[in-house]
Amino acid sequence: MATLPTHSQRRPPLLRQAIKIRRHRVRKLQDPLPQTIQEIEPPSHHFSPEERALLYEEALYTVLHRLGKPEPNHVREASELLRYLQEAFHTEPEEHQQMLQQVRELEKPVFCLKATVKQAKGILGKDVSGFSDPYCLLGIEQGMGTAGGSPGSRRRQQKAVVKHTIPEEQTHRTQVITQTLNPVWDETFILEFEDIKSSSFHLDMWDLDTVESVRQKLGELTDLHGLRRIFKEARKDKGQDDFLGNVVLRLQDLRCREDQWYPLEPCTETYPDRGQCHLQFQFIHKRRATAASRSQPSYTVHLHLLQQLVSHEVTQHQAGSTSWDGSLSPQAATILFLHATQKDLSDFHQSMAQWLAYSRVYQSLEFPSSCLLHPITSIEYQWIQGRLKAEQREELATSFSSLLAYGLSLLRRFRTVFPLSVSDSPARLQSLLRVLVQMCKMKAFRELCPDSAPLPRLVTEALRTGTVEWFHLKQQHHQPMVQGMLEAGKALLSLVQDIIGDLHQCQRTWNKIFHNALKIDFFSMAFLELQWLVAKRVQDHTAATVSGPVSPEMGESLFQLYISLKEFCQLGPAPSERDGVLALDSFHRWFQPAVPSWLQKTYSVALARVQRAVQMDKLVPLGELTKHSTSAVDLSTCFAQISHTARQLDWPDPEEAFMITVKFVEDTCRLALVYCSLIKARARELAAGQKDQGQAANMLCVVVNDMEQLRLVIGKLPTQLAWEALEQRVGAVLEPGQLQNTLHAQLQSALAGLGHEIRTGVRTLAEQLEVGIAKHIKNLVGIKESVLPEDAILPLMKFLEVELWYMNTNLVQENFSSLLTLLWTHTLTVLVEVATSQRSCPLASSRLKIALQSLEICFYAEGCGLPPEALHTATFKALQRDLELQAASSRELIRKYFCSRLQQQKPPKRSWGLSQSRPPTTPLSRSCVWSCSVLPTCCPWTPMAPATPLSS
């Protein structure tokens, strides 16, 4: 049969030969595509057909020549173990039966019991001093331990002495431990046997008896028990050893490995409690007939068998879509335990084999790296370099270097190996780092790989190289199919956005992992590497783009790229925390030629949106509480977008930022005036097709409200464009008062224009009402004398009640107040004209007087209308005084004259005004009484009935 190749023939190169750490010098912004790094090719976990045949033979031989009782968690049936081996080695049934028959025909191994006499405690003291000088005789009695023996024969067998039952050449003896009741030997013996069923282990413990004089014995005498021992020894032969007890065990009752305390049995019933003896047993093989055992070291064969079974375990879990957790199945654990025991492998060599097998399989098949921690810990705990041969030390060093190189290659590609789209990726990366850290801390690693660089440095270089490689992969991924500046700009924008997303992931997740494990600031390192790479490409792209006229599409692409770069730079360290200058510092200057196109594009888009909004506006209020139309809402959104664009731009240069802000304010004010013209034209267009004058008035109210809403929005520009912050920035470069004279002047001019447009609209509405008011006031003097004054003014009050309610419903409060002011002024003018023409008619003057009082209450509206200071103008006061005089009789005039003279001498104690919701009166007017129905008790233009359209 073919033999396995030696490790030196397939040994991978060392770590320093495997990893080429190449740091890209991108600080000059010249970075060619990285070449593929030569890596250590991981050792294969697959074997050739000849090697698999040797391992299969070895495994079958191990199962067929199993010794001892099974362990509690192990498989008992050999047939189950054979089926598992057939699956693990992928053997066909015919081939399996053929190999099984060949193994059965091989010569049996030499069965041995590896017995270790550790220590004893509580044994009998046979010497005069109260102690003993114990030693042990042990061996295997063959042909006597049958299971069918009678109890008496087994009892006689236990009481038999080793020297009488086992030939002298098969008897082994320990050292003599003098003067103790708790001897410690820790001696190991290899005892051969032929048939486990008919063999028994025997151990006799004796007290060595040396010939001493009576004087010496008396000198050792300590109590009366010692004196009795002297008399007892005097009766026995000189030099005869004392029996201390024995241990007899049937081999078939022992497990493959045993480690227990056994009681020492007496030959007679005297002194039944003779102490305990600590023994360890292990069934091993000698001269195994398999080709692998004859040609290769036991450790190597076990390593290959472990590697084959672990590969099968991992593959089985992957086929079931589950991840292997590092625990072997009961079948694999049983076979490996039997093989290690039969080959008498130490715990250290088993841990080393487990490490080598797991580390090799880990580099080929995917399973949790945490499975490597246990063998690392075991090797570190039991590490003694001298117990390994030279080739084993070299093999272990190679495994360290190979796993380190493989781990660094995973870290270099961690973005694709551990994607955040998989939930357990952070945990897997942490596990890998923990394995690498623990491995590099091992004494074995430091002794076998003394030239290895510190792990943090290696990981940092791997991460830096991997970051550059990832950048170039992303760049190739975003390479446009069609060559052109616009397509190149879109590709560059997508690349920068991917980099920003990666930096966010580094900041939130990856940096914490690398910092906790190795104190590596991965985020800062990645940011510095990527910003040099990005700066080179952005600078080249902008230089080629802005050299000529910038199209709207290209301007939009450049603006989005500018915004993305601002977000990219905001992720980096603050200027005070940087070491040197970054490549992206002052990147805004690359985009400076494109700024005019951005501003023009912003204005053009806003203008088109305003035009579209006005064209679609039906000039209908949005709701009961919202009295402006849809175009006002769209305009507010449009202005908010302009402000958002200004904040996004946030130009770093103070002087240029001021000029840009001036442009934004100018465009916004221009849009406001354009909107006023468009909305008025829209109202005329819609009113032209309306026969109902009430609908025209409704639309006019909406237009006025839209303008008022626009004025409120324009007034928020200083806050939205952050004028205070801008003033602080440009304070050192602008003359004092320049910002105030420029920005505020533009704003005030726009607000003044809007105010004029609003007043014009309100004046138009007022003119439509003034005709009706004048008509009703003039009609007062033409009513018959039989009609009471209180009844004569009812038509006027009903007219105002309907029309003012309508205006209050359709106008916002500011415009309605302006309308009331205009109407009050016009009403006073009409009253003055009528009163002048009717100066000689006391009845008309009386009616006009009552009308003035009622109109004052109507326009005041219990505090909801005009304030008293707006009502009590000079015209009002003069008219009120004239009407009182014209309406009074001669007697009342005389009385009023004298009352006035008295008041001049003594001021009145209390005066009534509208602040107490009571009309002003004079002493003579207190006797005037009119119907309460004439004077409304609530806001006269807030009736319960629905409003009617404006009368023609």
Side-chain angles (χ1 to χ4, degrees):
M1 292 185 180
T3 60
L4 291 173
T6 60
H7 296 286
S8 59
Q9 293 174 345
R10 54 185 175 84
R11 181 180 305 117
L14 296 178
L15 176 62
R16 299 175 68 86
Q17 300 172 350
I19 300 180
K20 291 176 61 179
I21 300 177
R22 182 175 59 86
R23 183 174 183 177
H24 299 275
R25 302 299 182 184
V26 296
R27 300 190 182 278
K28 297 181 180 180
L29 301 180
Q30 297 177 352
D31 51 317
L33 284 174
Q35 302 177 354
T36 303
I37 297 179
Q38 298 180 358
E39 303 176 7
I40 289 183
E41 182 179 356
S44 175
H45 67 283
H46 298 291
F47 299 103
S48 64
E50 294 79 8
E51 295 170 342
R52 290 178 64 254
L54 294 181
L55 282 179
Y56 196 44
E57 179 190 56
E58 180 74 17
L60 294 176
Y61 194 85
T62 299
V63 174
L64 293 178
H65 297 288
R66 179 179 187 175
L67 294 175
K69 295 172 60 178
E71 297 293 327
N73 298 328
H74 286 179
V75 178
R76 295 177 176 271
E77 299 297 332
S79 58
E80 185 177 351
L81 298 178
L82 295 176
R83 284 195 302 271
Y84 174 80
L85 288 175
Q86 181 181 352
E87 296 176 359
F89 283 85
H90 308 287
T91 307
E92 297 295 332
E94 296 78 7
E95 183 182 1
H96 171 72
Q97 292 298 330
Q98 183 180 0
M99 289 290 298
L100 188 61
Q101 183 61 31
Q102 292 177 4
V103 172
R104 287 195 176 108
E105 294 175 357
L106 293 178
E107 182 182 357
K108 292 183 178 181
V110 176
F111 300 140
C112 299
L113 178 66
K114 182 180 178 181
T116 301
V117 184
K118 300 292 290 182
Q119 59 183 326
K121 61 181 179 180
I123 64 175
L124 297 178
K126 292 292 186 177
D127 293 343
V128 176
S129 61
F131 297 99
S132 294
D133 303 323
Y135 68 92
C136 297
L137 297 177
L138 63 153
I140 291 185
E141 181 183 7
Q142 304 188 46
M144 297 295 293
T146 59
S150 62
S153 61
R154 289 199 298 269
R155 192 177 303 109
R156 288 191 298 272
Q157 181 180 355
Q158 290 180 354
K159 293 184 178 182
V161 181
V162 171
K163 63 180 66 175
H164 298 155
T165 56
I166 301 175
E168 184 176 356
E169 64 273 10
Q170 299 179 9
T171 302
H172 302 268
R173 175 172 174 163
T174 66
Q175 296 180 354
V176 179
I177 309 299
T178 60
Q179 294 298 299
T180 182
L181 299 180
N182 301 299
V184 177
W185 290 283
D186 201 10
E187 298 182 34
T188 301
F189 305 92
I190 306 299
L191 311 177
E192 298 181 359
F193 62 92
E194 295 180 359
D195 185 8
I196 190 173
K197 295 182 179 179
S198 61
S199 301
S200 298
F201 170 79
H202 284 254
L203 179 140
D204 291 346
M205 188 178 299
W206 297 85
D207 172 42
L208 181 65
D209 188 15
T210 57
V211 179
E212 296 178 347
S213 63
V214 176
R215 178 174 298 176
Q216 290 175 332
K217 294 181 179 179
L218 289 176
E220 298 174 358
L221 186 63
T222 58
D223 53 14
L224 294 177
H225 294 285
L227 183 61
R228 293 174 57 187
R229 293 192 191 98
I230 293 177
F231 292 136
K232 185 175 181 180
E233 290 181 1
R235 295 195 297 268
K236 71 177 184 180
D237 299 335
K238 293 182 179 180
Q240 181 179 356
D241 296 340
D242 293 324
F243 180 76
L244 296 177
N246 69 349
V247 177
V248 179
L249 303 171
R250 293 189 303 173
L251 298 189
Q252 64 180 359
D253 295 335
L254 298 178
R255 300 186 186 277
C256 195
R257 283 186 179 180
E258 292 280 5
D259 187 351
Q260 293 187 23
W261 286 87
Y262 296 93
L264 294 173
E265 302 292 342
C267 287
T268 63
E269 299 302 329
T270 308
Y271 300 114
D273 186 9
R274 294 174 173 264
Q276 294 177 315
C277 184
H278 184 193
L279 301 176
Q280 291 179 348
F281 298 107
Q282 178 181 337
F283 288 112
I284 64 175
H285 289 175
K286 282 185 179 181
R287 296 189 293 275
R288 291 166 66 95
T290 59
S293 295
R294 294 196 306 267
S295 60
Q296 300 176 26
S298 301
Y299 160 77
T300 304
V301 178
H302 185 73
L303 169 61
H304 293 165
L305 180 59
L306 175 61
Q307 188 171 328
Q308 177 66 26
L309 297 186
V310 169
S311 301
H312 173 69
E313 294 282 325
V314 177
T315 305
Q316 288 294 106
H317 281 79
Q318 290 179 347
S321 300
T322 58
S323 178
W324 188 53
D325 60 356
S327 59
L328 296 171
S329 62
Q331 296 85 350
T334 302
I335 294 171
L336 292 173
F337 175 79
L338 293 176
H339 187 265
T341 303
Q342 294 173 8
K343 301 287 283 187
D344 195 20
L345 286 178
S346 64
D347 293 339
F348 174 76
H349 283 87
Q350 292 183 54
S351 299
M352 181 175 168
Q354 187 181 13
W355 160 256
L356 293 175
Y358 280 27
S359 61
R360 290 176 183 177
V361 175
Y362 174 74
Q363 299 176 50
S364 303
L365 299 176
E366 183 179 357
F367 64 87
S369 55
S370 57
C371 302
L372 301 172
L373 290 175
H374 175 69
I376 285 179
T377 305
S378 299
I379 293 176
E380 177 70 8
Y381 181 72
Q382 307 175 67
W383 173 250
I384 298 178
Q385 185 176 358
R387 70 170 64 183
L388 295 180
K389 299 178 181 179
E391 59 271 15
Q392 291 177 342
R393 292 196 297 271
E394 188 173 357
E395 184 179 28
L396 186 58
T398 302
S399 71
F400 288 151
S401 301
S402 176
L403 183 67
L404 179 58
Y406 180 72
L408 292 176
S409 70
L410 294 182
L411 295 178
R412 196 180 69 248
R413 299 176 288 111
F414 81 93
R415 292 176 175 87
T416 54
V417 178
F418 305 102
L420 285 179
S421 57
V422 182
S423 59
D424 64 338
S425 291
R428 289 167 49 215
L429 177 60
Q430 289 176 334
S431 177
L432 174 61
L433 291 174
R434 187 161 57 249
V435 168
L436 295 179
V437 170
Q438 293 298 327
M439 183 185 72
C440 294
K441 286 182 178 180
M442 295 171 60
K443 292 182 292 186
F445 181 86
R446 295 196 300 269
E447 294 178 8
L448 300 180
C449 304
D451 297 332
S452 177
L455 182 61
R457 186 194 308 172
L458 294 176
V459 173
T460 301
E461 294 297 332
L463 292 175
R464 179 178 289 109
T465 303
T467 299
V468 177
E469 291 176 353
W470 174 83
F471 174 85
H472 288 291
L473 289 176
K474 282 294 181 181
Q475 186 181 18
Q476 294 176 0
H477 174 72
H478 291 293
Q479 195 71 22
M481 300 295 295
V482 179
Q483 297 298 326
M485 295 305 300
L486 184 60
E487 289 73 14
K490 294 179 179 179
L492 183 57
L493 176 62
S494 300
L495 175 63
V496 174
Q497 290 175 347
D498 282 354
I499 291 174
I500 293 174
D502 179 74
L503 289 176
H504 280 297
Q505 291 181 355
C506 293
Q507 200 172 37
R508 291 192 302 263
T509 304
W510 304 126
N511 192 68
K512 184 185 300 183
I513 294 176
F514 287 107
H515 186 270
N516 292 339
L518 296 167
K519 305 302 180 184
I520 294 177
D521 188 3
F522 172 63
F523 173 77
S524 299
M525 182 269 295
F527 177 82
L528 292 177
E529 292 292 331
L530 291 173
Q531 64 97 21
W532 288 106
L533 298 171
V534 170
K536 168 64 176 174
R537 279 137 188 91
V538 173
Q539 188 175 18
D540 293 345
H541 176 72
T542 53
T545 303
V546 302
S547 58
V550 181
S551 64
E553 295 79 7
M554 184 59 67
E556 177 66 21
S557 176
L558 289 175
F559 183 73
Q560 295 300 326
L561 181 59
Y562 173 82
I563 298 303
S564 298
L565 287 179
K566 284 184 63 65
E567 183 181 358
F568 180 90
C569 293
Q570 289 172 357
L571 295 174
S576 59
E577 301 175 358
R578 298 175 184 172
D579 296 332
V581 181
L582 300 180
L584 285 176
D585 287 344
S586 302
F587 76 91
H588 65 281
R589 301 190 181 278
W590 306 338
F591 297 87
Q592 190 172 14
V595 173
S597 66
W598 295 348
L599 299 179
Q600 183 61 35
K601 177 68 177 297
T602 303
Y603 176 77
S604 301
V605 171
L607 179 60
R609 185 168 182 177
V610 168
Q611 293 172 343
R612 186 169 59 253
V614 173
Q615 191 63 30
M616 298 177 62
D617 197 350
K618 301 300 182 181
L619 295 183
V620 177
L622 293 176
E624 295 182 1
L625 300 179
T626 305
K627 299 180 181 181
H628 50 264
S629 62
T630 57
S631 61
V633 177
D634 291 340
L635 188 64
S636 300
T637 306
C638 184
F639 286 174
Q641 183 62 41
I642 293 177
S643 301
H644 178 67
T645 302
R647 290 192 299 270
Q648 283 184 313
L649 189 58
D650 190 22
W651 198 256
D653 185 82
E655 188 172 1
E656 295 176 1
F658 171 72
M659 300 305 298
I660 291 173
T661 305
V662 170
K663 178 62 176 174
F664 275 123
V665 175
E666 179 183 350
D667 291 344
T668 304
C669 295
R670 189 192 315 171
L671 283 173
L673 298 179
V674 170
Y675 174 78
C676 291
S677 301
L678 293 176
I679 199 66
K680 289 191 298 182
R682 179 63 175 168
R684 289 192 296 268
E685 177 185 354
L686 294 177
Q690 294 286 341
K691 296 181 179 181
D692 186 0
Q693 293 300 322
Q695 287 296 112
N698 289 344
M699 288 186 288
L700 184 56
C701 290
V702 173
V703 169
V704 173
N705 293 336
D706 288 343
M707 293 180 181
E708 183 64 34
Q709 178 67 19
L710 177 58
R711 185 168 62 176
L712 295 177
V713 173
I714 291 293
K716 298 179 181 178
L717 277 181
T719 302
Q720 293 178 344
L721 297 180
W723 286 9
E724 292 185 1
L726 178 63
E727 188 173 6
Q728 294 177 0
R729 289 175 56 193
V730 302
V733 297
L734 294 182
E735 297 180 1
Q738 185 174 354
L739 186 142
Q740 184 75 20
N741 297 333
T742 305
L743 295 180
H744 288 276
Q746 285 182 337
L747 181 61
Q748 294 303 322
S749 176
L751 292 176
L754 287 174
H756 174 72
E757 295 291 344
I758 293 172
R759 288 192 300 273
T760 302
V762 173
R763 164 54 60 188
T764 303
L765 291 173
E767 289 175 353
Q768 298 179 9
L769 295 179
E770 288 171 356
V771 176
I773 295 175
K775 177 182 177 181
H776 285 86
I777 292 177
K778 292 177 180 180
N779 289 338
L780 285 175
V781 298
I783 298 176
K784 298 179 180 181
E785 296 181 0
S786 60
V787 180
L788 295 176
E790 293 82 358
D791 296 334
I793 65 171
L794 283 178
L796 172 62
M797 302 309 298
K798 289 183 179 180
F799 172 79
L800 289 176
E801 180 180 356
V802 173
E803 300 301 337
L804 292 182
W805 183 92
Y806 173 81
M807 293 298 173
N808 185 39
T809 304
N810 290 275
L811 290 177
V812 297
Q813 183 62 38
E814 293 80 0
N815 296 335
F816 181 69
S817 299
S818 300
L819 177 65
L820 289 180
T821 302
L822 294 175
L823 293 178
W824 179 248
T825 303
H826 173 75
T827 301
L828 292 179
T829 303
V830 174
L831 287 173
V832 169
E833 293 176 355
V834 175
T836 303
S837 63
Q838 300 293 329
R839 183 180 296 274
S840 61
C841 181
L843 178 61
S845 299
S846 176
R847 290 179 178 178
L848 291 177
K849 175 184 175 183
I850 296 176
L852 179 62
Q853 295 174 348
S854 300
L855 289 172
E856 179 189 8
I857 296 174
C858 176
F859 278 84
Y860 178 68
E862 297 183 352
C864 297
L866 295 177
E869 57 270 16
L871 292 170
H872 299 163
T873 62
T875 303
F876 170 81
K877 294 178 181 180
L879 177 62
Q880 185 184 39
R881 183 176 61 255
D882 291 343
L883 290 177
E884 286 181 356
L885 295 175
Q886 293 174 18
S889 60
S890 300
R891 184 181 184 86
E892 290 175 345
L893 290 174
I894 295 173
R895 182 180 177 183
K896 183 176 180 60
Y897 171 77
F898 285 108
C899 288
S900 176
R901 295 299 300 270
L902 290 175
Q903 287 179 354
Q904 291 177 2
Q905 297 178 6
K906 183 178 180 180
K909 297 182 179 179
R910 184 174 183 181
S911 62
W912 297 91
L914 287 177
S915 59
Q916 288 82 19
S917 298
R918 183 172 178 178
T921 60
T922 61
L924 293 178
S925 64
R926 293 175 184 175
S927 60
C928 297
V929 180
W930 51 78
S931 174
C932 294
S933 61
V934 174
L935 299 179
T937 58
C938 61
C939 180
W941 22 267
T942 314
M944 299 301 293
T948 59
L950 186 67
S951 59
S952 60

